Amino acid sequence: MVSPFAGCDYIDESYWTLPLQLIVYLVFALFYFIAKRKESKFVLMISSWFFCDCLWLIANQFCGLHTGKYLLIVSYLNIFVLGVLLKYLESNKDKYKRYAPYILFLLLYSGHVSLQYMTIVLMAFVGTFVISYWNIKYTKRNLLAFLGRISYPFYLIHQVVGYSIMNLLETNGITTEFIILLPIAANFVIAYLISRFVEKPIMHYCRNLVN
């Protein structure tokens, strides 16, 4: 996660988002502390950061500005802000109409990266919006809730675990196309174990520490 800051190559190219996430989480944690855990102030602060991204894009268009793009997370910060905003609106549904233009702008902002990227963001948003606004009971107690809990551990381990198992199987002469099912299943199990016995205890400890 920190190797790019030291001028080193990524351990694996599939983890290129990790340093970006580290910057976002550290800044968000700082904002949350400054806002004294008031959600409305926190949303306002991260929105101000996103506003700086918009100013950067304008400056880049007219002045050819390149400095600061990485630290500002210019291409992807809107996704993080959108996620926080949806979580905030989940418990403040009466404010959806007020924030609707802002949400639309956050979605369309992805278009400066590419049309394909914006399409993916829009599709993901529609699914998330349906779940958060209408509180679909099935997703709250079953499959999607489970997938959401293990998604980050799954992302962190899928490359190493997946290739290790597939290489081991191929070395032993097992080359059927169905071998892909085994590393997928293993990733789900390991991701669940990490979420249950590592991630949750750490989150619980950090919350107690803050409170």
Side-chain angles (χ1 to χ4, degrees):
M1 181 175 281
V2 298
S3 56
F5 299 111
C8 303
D9 294 332
Y10 293 105
I11 296 175
D12 192 284
E13 288 298 324
S14 65
Y15 298 128
W16 66 271
T17 63
L18 289 178
L20 301 179
Q21 293 174 46
L22 179 61
I23 295 173
V24 170
Y25 296 150
L26 289 176
V27 175
F28 276 17
L30 176 62
F31 285 173
Y32 195 64
F33 176 77
I34 295 174
K36 298 181 179 179
R37 290 175 285 173
K38 293 182 178 180
E39 291 184 342
S40 57
K41 289 185 177 180
F42 177 60
V43 170
L44 177 61
M45 295 182 74
I46 63 174
S47 297
S48 299
W49 186 13
F50 173 65
F51 179 69
C52 292
D53 281 10
C54 297
L55 292 178
W56 187 96
L57 281 179
I58 296 172
N60 178 61
Q61 182 69 28
F62 292 100
C63 308
L65 179 66
H66 298 289
T67 304
K69 179 178 181 180
Y70 189 84
L71 291 177
L72 286 173
I73 323 293
V74 170
S75 297
Y76 306 103
L77 182 62
N78 64 311
I79 304 301
F80 292 96
V81 175
L82 186 61
V84 172
L85 185 59
L86 284 176
K87 182 62 179 178
Y88 171 68
L89 292 177
E90 186 177 11
S91 54
N92 297 274
K93 292 185 174 64
D94 58 312
K95 298 182 179 180
Y96 260 106
K97 291 183 179 179
R98 181 191 305 176
Y99 281 95
Y102 183 32
I103 292 173
L104 180 61
F105 181 74
L106 286 167
L107 291 167
L108 297 179
Y109 177 89
S110 301
H112 87 273
V113 178
S114 70
L115 182 60
Q116 181 182 19
Y117 176 59
M118 185 178 71
T119 303
I120 294 172
V121 171
L122 286 169
M123 292 174 62
F125 170 76
V126 170
T128 305
F129 178 82
V130 170
I131 293 170
S132 63
Y133 189 82
W134 280 287
N135 290 324
I136 299 176
K137 293 182 179 180
Y138 180 80
T139 61
K140 291 184 76 70
R141 69 174 186 268
N142 285 296
L143 182 60
L144 290 184
F146 169 75
L147 293 177
R149 286 193 297 269
I150 70 168
S151 60
Y152 196 68
F154 191 98
Y155 161 68
L156 292 177
I157 66 171
H158 77 280
Q159 182 87 332
V160 175
V161 173
Y163 275 112
S164 297
I165 293 177
M166 292 182 68
N167 288 335
L168 178 63
L169 292 174
E170 289 178 358
T171 300
N172 288 277
I174 304 175
T175 57
T176 174
E177 59 272 16
F178 295 107
I179 65 171
I180 190 65
L181 298 177
L182 186 57
I184 291 175
N187 273 304
F188 271 111
V189 173
I190 297 173
Y192 168 75
L193 293 175
I194 293 174
S195 174
R196 176 67 177 82
F197 297 106
V198 179
E199 189 177 26
K200 282 188 177 180
I202 291 176
M203 291 173 62
H204 181 71
Y205 172 78
C206 291
R207 286 171 180 167
N208 289 337
L209 191 63
V210 171
N211 295 326

